[in-house]
Amino acid sequence: MTSMSRARVARRIAAGAAYGGGGIGLAGAAAAGLVLAEVQLARRRVGNGTSGHVPNADGRYGHTYAHPGVEPLRLTMLGDSTAAGQGVHRAGQTPGALLASGLAALAERPVELRTVATPGARSDDLDRQVALVLADPGPVPDICVIMVGANDVTHRMPPTRSVRHLSSAVRRLRTAGAEVVVGTCPDLGTIEPVRQPLRWLARRASRQLAAAQTIGVVEQGGRTVSLGDLLGPEFAANPRELFGPDNYHPSAEGYATAAMAVLPTVCASLGLWPAEEERPDASRREGFLPVARAAAEAASEAGTEVTAAMPSGPRGPWALLKRRRRRRVPEQEPAPATPSN
């Protein structure tokens, strides 16, 4: 599917989500039976993401930056097993811990991490997760990172419904005063046990949902980072290295790769990224595009950021598409600390 075609589909899905439209079949009705059968087979072979140990990474990071009068930044992780860090054994290997460590180092401030992400969650669980975040008597998080979408595809949730729930979550968090960064639906076509034709269908469905998610998130004032093939061509080239033991969830190296791609956008949303890097760089093919085109391009290239730019244009809202330079994030176990929840 071309970028322009994906942009048209993404606009339709996002419009359906905004105005209460019905689902749009991502793979087509004729393939639905085959997809369902193949997905069930793949689930049995790789697991469905609803069980298994998830390390508790909540707590304070960056203790060396703690000084009297310096309040910690508050980072909250929402979404599914990818956001929670299922598939690794140490807390410091989870994406939340990696992002908290990297954010603390770049901001030179402590970071308080809280995780409400739940393995197996779909986008309709974000309503519950956001309610947990906003019910906390403490200050609203400075930054919320959401990773969601894979289970929506494998459970055949209508994409309009998926995007509607995600958009609502972003709107509620932004209204409360939090910055929001969303890691869009990963490319399920990279899962090793998934065979053709499901691999092609899964990739198509994943990218269509990722593009539609981007439109919905940007329209609500959030930023997105394309997770694509879990952030880099090295994932497809080295799946056994970047997948975990279950061949479904990322390994520690896979999560580190994801965190390296998301961290620059997290920092930029908090005003912590170098000002000279905020300007679009033509040499990296960055620039302003209609939001649907930016969303489609981002879905095709992992690690690409999309954020709102001009409110309107001849073809609707515009967005800034950026390919930020990745920064390696330190792996760090949380020192003894008071959990943030």
Side-chain angles (χ1 to χ4, degrees), residues 171-288:
R171 180 172 61 252
R172 291 168 65 193
L173 292 170
R174 293 290 291 128
T175 299
E179 297 293 335
V180 180
V181 173
V182 175
T184 55
C185 181
D187 182 356
L188 298 181
T190 60
I191 298 175
E192 275 198 310
V194 176
R195 300 175 179 176
Q196 296 291 12
L198 179 59
R199 183 182 294 273
W200 178 84
L201 294 168
R203 172 163 287 125
R204 180 186 178 199
S206 302
R207 290 185 176 183
Q208 286 181 1
L209 179 57
Q213 286 177 319
T214 297
I215 296 175
V217 169
V218 169
E219 288 180 344
Q220 299 303 327
R223 301 186 187 214
T224 63
V225 178
S226 169
L227 295 186
D229 53 0
L230 283 185
L231 309 175
E234 67 272 20
F235 191 85
N238 303 294
R240 295 193 181 278
E241 181 178 329
L242 296 185
F243 271 125
D246 61 3
N247 288 334
Y248 185 84
H249 294 100
S251 65
E253 183 64 28
Y255 279 129
T257 304
M260 279 192 293
V262 174
L263 179 62
T265 301
V266 167
C267 292
S269 70
L270 295 171
L272 300 172
W273 208 242
E276 63 271 17
E277 291 195 26
E278 290 306 294
R279 294 186 292 271
D281 185 340
S283 68
R284 296 207 299 267
R285 296 177 292 114
E286 298 178 346
F288 297 97

Side-chain angles (χ1 to χ4, degrees), residues 44-310:
R44 286 196 295 271
R45 296 183 64 187
V46 303
N48 61 13
T50 59
S51 63
H53 173 68
V54 179
N56 180 9
D58 288 5
R60 184 165 295 188
Y61 294 75
H63 290 272
T64 57
Y65 304 110
H67 302 289
V70 176
E71 287 294 317
L73 291 168
R74 292 171 175 83
L75 165 65
T76 298
M77 302 293 295
L78 303 91
D80 57 23
S81 56
T82 305
Q86 185 172 356
V88 296
H89 300 291
R90 297 169 53 194
Q93 297 170 330
T94 64
L98 292 166
L99 287 172
S101 298
L103 179 57
L106 289 169
E108 297 186 344
R109 287 175 62 181
V111 173
E112 195 79 23
L113 171 66
R114 181 188 181 192
T115 303
V116 297
T118 305
R122 288 168 271 181
S123 293
D124 54 4
D125 190 55
L126 291 176
D127 298 342
R128 180 190 65 82
Q129 294 182 25
V130 170
L132 285 175
V133 173
L134 299 183
D136 192 305
V140 173
D142 296 286
I143 178 74
C144 292
V145 175
I146 303 173
M147 297 180 179
V148 75
N151 295 317
D152 297 26
V153 174
T154 60
H155 289 77
R156 300 173 66 215
M157 176 182 287
T160 49
R161 181 182 172 201
S162 176
V163 173
R164 187 179 305 126
H165 283 290
L166 176 58
S167 298
S168 173
V170 174
R171 180 172 61 252
R172 291 168 65 193
L173 292 170
R174 293 290 291 128
T175 299
E179 297 293 335
V180 180
V181 173
V182 175
T184 55
C185 181
D187 182 356
L188 298 181
T190 60
I191 298 175
E192 275 198 310
V194 176
R195 300 175 179 176
Q196 296 291 12
L198 179 59
R199 183 182 294 273
W200 178 84
L201 294 168
R203 172 163 287 125
R204 180 186 178 199
S206 302
R207 290 185 176 183
Q208 286 181 1
L209 179 57
Q213 286 177 319
T214 297
I215 296 175
V217 169
V218 169
E219 288 180 344
Q220 299 303 327
R223 301 186 187 214
T224 63
V225 178
S226 169
L227 295 186
D229 53 0
L230 283 185
L231 309 175
E234 67 272 20
F235 191 85
N238 303 294
R240 295 193 181 278
E241 181 178 329
L242 296 185
F243 271 125
D246 61 3
N247 288 334
Y248 185 84
H249 294 100
S251 65
E253 183 64 28
Y255 279 129
T257 304
M260 279 192 293
V262 174
L263 179 62
T265 301
V266 167
C267 292
S269 70
L270 295 171
L272 300 172
W273 208 242
E276 63 271 17
E277 291 195 26
E278 290 306 294
R279 294 186 292 271
D281 185 340
S283 68
R284 296 207 299 267
R285 296 177 292 114
E286 298 178 346
F288 297 97
L289 294 169
V291 66
R293 275 196 57 199
E297 289 202 18
S300 300
E301 184 173 347
T304 305
E305 174 191 320
V306 180
T307 186
M310 296 166 280

